[in-house]
């Protein structure tokens, strides 16, 4: 994994690195490998993860096909705490 430091901004590079590691699932892997996991526990965990993955895909498919209502989008805020228009909303005068 590689992150470039621009303009000696190490804080931003660290944030980017942490986000990449989070997306790859490294923190979850570190936590899981902290203690020994019996093979029987490992199979139970992997089966549970597979069930969750399958349910999530089925839920997304049902939403796409219109069988389930899509979840309401969370309100977004800018740096000053003011609400931002939801994605896909048209601007006035555009």
């Amino acid at each position: 994994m590689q992150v470039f430091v621009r303009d000696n901004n190490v804080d931003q590079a660290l944030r980017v690195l942490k986000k990449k590691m989070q997306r790859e699932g490294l923190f979850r892997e570190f936590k899981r490998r902290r203690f020994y996991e019996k093979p029987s526990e490992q199979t139970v965990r992997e089966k549970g993860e597979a069930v969750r993955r399958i349910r999530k895909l089925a839920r997304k498919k049902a939403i796409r096909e219109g069988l389930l209502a899509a979840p309401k989008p969370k309100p977004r805020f800018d740096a000053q705490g003011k609400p931002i228009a939801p994605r896909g909303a048209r601007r006035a005068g555009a």
Side-chain angles (χ1 to χ4, degrees), residues 26-85:
L26 283 177
F27 292 125
R28 197 177 312 124
E29 185 80 15
F30 291 152
K31 198 173 188 179
R32 204 174 53 73
R33 288 178 183 250
R34 193 173 291 158
F35 303 105
Y36 177 74
E37 184 176 31
K38 288 169 47 177
S40 60
E41 293 172 347
Q42 183 178 359
T43 56
V44 168
R45 178 182 50 80
E46 288 173 352
K47 283 183 182 179
E49 288 173 355
V51 167
R52 278 193 296 277
R53 229 181 0 258
I54 291 168
R55 282 185 183 158
K56 185 176 182 179
L57 287 173
R59 186 170 53 247
K60 283 187 174 186
K61 185 178 177 185
I63 289 172
R64 244 182 289 131
E65 293 174 354
L67 301 174
L68 285 177
K72 292 183 181 178
K74 295 180 183 174
R76 297 171 48 217
F77 300 97
D78 64 4
Q80 285 77 33
K82 296 179 183 174
I84 300 174

Side-chain angles (χ1 to χ4, degrees), residues 7-25:
D7 302 326
N8 290 331
N9 195 346
V10 179
D11 292 331
Q12 182 183 6
L14 267 174
R15 263 187 277 136
V16 171
L17 177 67
K18 284 182 182 178
K19 189 174 278 191
K20 279 187 176 186
M21 291 174 73
Q22 179 75 31
R23 207 174 297 131
E24 291 292 322

